[in-house]
Amino acid sequence: MIVSGVAQATALLALALHARGTDAVGVEDPGSPQHGALYAAAGVTAVPLPLDDEGTDLAALRSSGVRAVTTTPAHQFPTGIAYSARRRAELLDWARSVDGFVIEDDYDGDFRYDRAPVGALQGLDPERVAYAGSVSKSLAPGLRLGWLLVPEALAEEVVERKRTSDLGHAVLDQALFARFVERGDYDRQLRRCQRAYRERRDALVAALREHFPGARVSGIAAGLHVIAELPLRYGPQRRFLERVAAAGVDVRALAAYAHARAGREEGEEGTPRLVLGYAQLSPARIRDGVRLMREAAGV
Ligand SMILES: Cc1ncc(COP(=O)(O)O)c(C=O)c1O
């Protein structure tokens, strides 16, 4: 089904699950603030689940009691980890064992720089996984164009929710996009973006190396952002962020994506751990931004 982005896909799934009696869905913590907000709007409680270095923590998932979970397995938002093959299989086993669903938010899965994009989880079990993606990272977020694949068991409910929310997606948008895909233009656009984003990522990683020696940069193999953990001398994080903001560089801490307030406050006094997006900036602007951050840090 064509939808207006991953956001609407999530909202429709939330409404459909709610209609089936699901009142809680697991979400990654740290994770996208969108997830919690969209579930809340549908009357579904988002249950934050911690991550380990393979993906959503399975023990926490099992003990949470939820029967649906939202994940970003290709490139976890915001930590940047790619779910391991083992965790992907375990998630599907879990979904079968509770007669539940995994929601796969593939917001940036087209952009993988070290190897071919990882196959979607949905392909491994279409009856347990709902899959959502969009053109937001490959064309423009303002187009509000995306896609949603749903398990048969949810299909009728989701289609009905789409109908009652907007009577169906704009036909002209769908026709134009279909043409774009059929002519091979979308593939070419993806390849163009791949090259541009890789160049921007390389510029960011090189600038961090130059201006913040000793920084640990992770999550670089895919997506449109990296995580940079700066050495202790640039901290505490709160002061660093204040100085950088005053210099006009818009930067968020990883902790800002924690669901609970305690998590968001955590690390304020520690070393800066930053989420740095690079998609919309030229390499020159990226280099300027990192240099400005270093100057603002005053170290
Ligand atoms: C993790 C994640 N999921 C979903 C979205 C929303 O995507 P869309 O523009 O396709 O609605 C975003 C927004 O950037 C995001 O970061």
Side-chain angles (χ1 to χ4, degrees):
M1 171 193 288
I2 294 288
V3 291
S4 61
V6 176
Q8 191 187 37
T10 309
L12 294 175
L13 285 164
L15 289 166
L17 288 167
H18 188 251
R20 288 166 55 101
T22 300
D23 56 9
V25 171
V27 294
E28 297 166 326
D29 188 15
S32 167
Q34 299 259 21
H35 292 156
L38 291 165
Y39 286 117
V44 175
T45 304
V47 178
L49 299 170
L51 307 168
D52 59 24
D53 51 13
E54 293 188 68
T56 299
D57 184 295
L58 259 207
L61 175 60
R62 288 198 187 102
S63 62
S64 70
V66 298
R67 286 176 53 210
V69 63
T70 286
T71 58
T72 49
H75 186 238
Q76 201 275 331
F77 185 85
T79 64
I81 57 169
Y83 277 43
S84 67
R86 181 172 65 175
R87 186 57 46 85
R88 289 154 60 91
E90 286 169 342
L91 269 179
L92 297 177
D93 286 344
W94 165 84
R96 291 176 201 121
S97 73
V98 298
D99 190 20
F101 299 104
V102 177
I103 297 160
E104 180 173 19
D105 172 350
D106 196 19
Y107 69 104
D108 70 358
D110 289 315
F111 304 110
R112 175 110 215 157
Y113 310 112
D114 56 343
R115 53 182 154 99
V118 198
L121 205 53
Q122 191 269 350
L124 301 177
D125 195 341
E127 291 316 312
R128 292 288 165 204
V129 184
Y131 173 90
S134 76
V135 303
S136 291
K137 308 288 193 275
S138 53
L139 288 170
L143 289 177
R144 307 315 301 143
L145 190 64
W147 39 87
L148 169 63
L149 283 85
V150 287
E152 193 65 40
L154 294 175
E156 205 176 309
E157 199 64 65
V158 169
V159 168
E160 179 59 13
R161 300 293 152 173
K162 174 70 179 162
R163 198 182 66 76
T164 51
S165 66
D166 59 11
L167 292 182
H169 208 76
V171 172
L172 190 56
D173 291 2
Q174 297 193 52
L176 282 172
F177 187 57
R179 186 94 193 270
F180 198 59
V181 171
E182 279 159 16
R183 289 163 47 130
D185 288 331
Y186 191 57
D187 274 348
R188 276 189 284 280
Q189 171 68 5
L190 285 176
R191 284 197 293 274
R192 241 192 323 266
C193 289
Q194 236 350 300
R195 281 194 297 276
Y197 292 158
R198 178 196 284 267
E199 194 190 340
R200 291 167 188 197
R201 178 203 64 165
D202 291 348
L204 175 59
V205 173
L208 286 167
R209 256 190 216 122
E210 180 187 340
H211 294 291
F212 293 94
R216 284 182 44 209
V217 185
S218 58
I220 66 169
L224 311 170
H225 68 274
V226 303
I227 301 295
E229 183 174 330
L230 305 184
L232 216 48
R233 62 182 176 278
Y234 295 101
Q237 176 164 282
R238 185 167 32 81
R239 193 186 58 192
F240 179 87
L241 291 176
E242 281 165 8
R243 288 182 167 185
V244 166
V249 186
D250 186 14
V251 183
R252 288 238 182 124
L254 180 58
Y257 296 92
H259 285 271
R261 187 212 272 259
R264 290 197 292 275
E265 286 171 357
E266 193 187 309
E268 282 198 343
E269 299 309 316
T271 193
R273 295 178 78 203
L274 312 173
V275 180
L276 301 173
Y278 51 81
Q280 83 286 23
L281 300 171
S282 68
R285 293 263 296 152
I286 290 170
R287 284 189 283 272
D288 283 350
V290 176
R291 183 181 43 76
L292 275 173
M293 279 204 302
R294 200 247 352 250
E295 287 168 6
V299 176

